[in-house]
Amino acid sequence: DIQMTQSPSTLSASVGDTVSITCRASQNIHSWLAWHQQKPGRAPKLLIYKASSLESGAPSRFSGTGGGTGFTLTITSLQPDDFATYYCQQYDSYPYSFGQGTKLEIK
Amino acid sequence: QVQLVESGGGVVQPGGSLRLSCAASGFVFNSVGMQWVRQAPGKGLEWVAFIRYDGSAQHYADSVKGRFTISRDSSRDTLYLQMNSLKAEDTAVYYCAKSRHGPLIDKWGQGILVTVSS
C-alpha cells in the first residue's frame, strides 16, 4: 500500500502570506495526486488534481507542483477563507490513501 | 448541479449492521465511479471503498475488507454501503463521493454520522 505523508501537520500564517504544504508518497504515483480542502463541520472540496491542474471554480491563488513521490501545494496571498485543513490523496492505485492533513491556522 | 445526499446513519451496537445510501443527481450516474470515504471524530480522512461506473469491480480498504460491501443501483441513481460486523473504530462521518477520470474524487456529499456503541 502507498503511504502519504504531509508536512507540516500545522501551519500558522497571516492574511497575505504565501505558504506551502508538502506531500510525499512512499512510492512513485506519477502525477496522480489531488489536494482537497476541508473546513470545520463541512465536506472536503477538490482544489487540485493530477498534481498541478486547478479544479474549476477554485481560486487561482492555489497551485500544485511535483511528480513521482514529492508534491507541493502553494497558496499565494492567503485570504481569510483559506484557513482550513488540507489533504493530499493519491489515486494511482488502491487503496487510494490520504495524507494525515495539514491544518492552516491564523497567526 | 451535482448533489450527493447520504442517509441511513445512526447508532448501532458493536457487531451490528447498517446500510448507508447515497442519492445522486445532477450527473450521469452510470458513467462514473463512486466511492466512500470516512472521517473518525477529530481525525483525518480515510478512504473506504470504490466501485466502477458499471459495478464490475469494487476495491476496499484493508480495515473494512470482508465486512463492508459497496454497491450501486443505476435504476435509482443510488450508491450503497452495507456495513456488517461493526466495531467501535468504525465510528465516523461517512462521505459519499463522485469520481472523475477513474478514481479521482471531484465531488463530496455532506456526510452522515455512524456511531458504533453499546
Side-chain angles (χ1 to χ4, degrees):
Chain A
D1 294 0
I2 299 173
Q3 311 302 318
M4 305 301 293
T5 304
Q6 286 182 235
S7 61
S9 296
T10 306
L11 182 55
S12 296
S14 302
V15 172
D17 286 353
T18 294
V19 298
S20 292
I21 299 168
T22 296
C23 179
R24 293 215 168 271
S26 61
Q27 62 191 70
N28 185 359
I29 58 169
H30 310 282
S31 295
W32 304 119
L33 183 100
W35 291 96
H36 301 272
Q37 176 195 63
Q38 186 179 34
K39 297 177 182 177
R42 304 286 296 275
K45 186 167 62 172
L46 175 65
L47 290 175
I48 300 284
Y49 65 96
K50 208 173 179 186
S52 60
S53 297
L54 188 68
E55 176 67 355
S56 175
S60 58
R61 60 182 179 273
F62 292 91
S63 63
T65 58
T69 61
F71 304 86
T72 301
L73 173 70
T74 299
I75 314 171
T76 56
S77 188
L78 274 171
Q79 299 300 300
D81 193 50
D82 301 336
F83 293 93
T85 300
Y86 294 85
Y87 295 92
C88 62
Q89 185 202 11
Q90 66 83 16
Y91 54 104
D92 177 75
S93 59
Y94 57 86
Y96 302 124
S97 42
F98 290 88
Q100 80 277 18
T102 295
K103 185 175 183 180
L104 178 56
E105 299 179 328
I106 300 176
K107 187 184 290 184
Chain B
Q1 72 281 20
V2 171
Q3 279 204 307
L4 301 167
V5 181
E6 300 96 338
S7 61
V11 180
V12 60
Q13 292 189 338
S17 298
L18 210 56
R19 188 179 82 158
L20 303 183
S21 300
C22 172
S25 61
F27 62 100
V28 181
F29 181 73
N30 62 11
S31 68
V32 299
M34 297 291 294
Q35 308 189 46
W36 290 97
V37 176
R38 68 185 181 183
Q39 186 169 37
K43 303 297 185 183
L45 300 172
E46 179 187 14
W47 178 80
V48 173
F50 170 86
I51 186 167
R52 274 173 54 97
Y53 69 97
D54 58 359
S56 63
Q58 305 85 34
H59 304 299
Y60 298 93
D62 286 346
S63 58
V64 307
K65 201 174 294 183
R67 300 187 299 122
F68 289 12
T69 301
I70 187 171
S71 62
R72 62 193 299 159
D73 184 343
S74 291
S75 69
R76 298 176 184 270
D77 286 355
T78 301
L79 176 72
Y80 301 101
L81 185 67
Q82 177 66 43
M83 304 184 293
N84 298 331
S85 302
L86 283 160
K87 307 173 182 179
E89 52 264 41
D90 295 318
T91 294
V93 171
Y94 285 73
Y95 292 102
C96 164
K98 170 186 169 291
S99 300
R100 187 177 83 209
H101 301 164
L104 168 68
I105 292 175
D106 69 340
K107 296 294 182 186
W108 299 73
Q110 85 284 357
I112 190 93
L113 178 62
V114 172
T115 302
V116 184
S117 174
S118 54

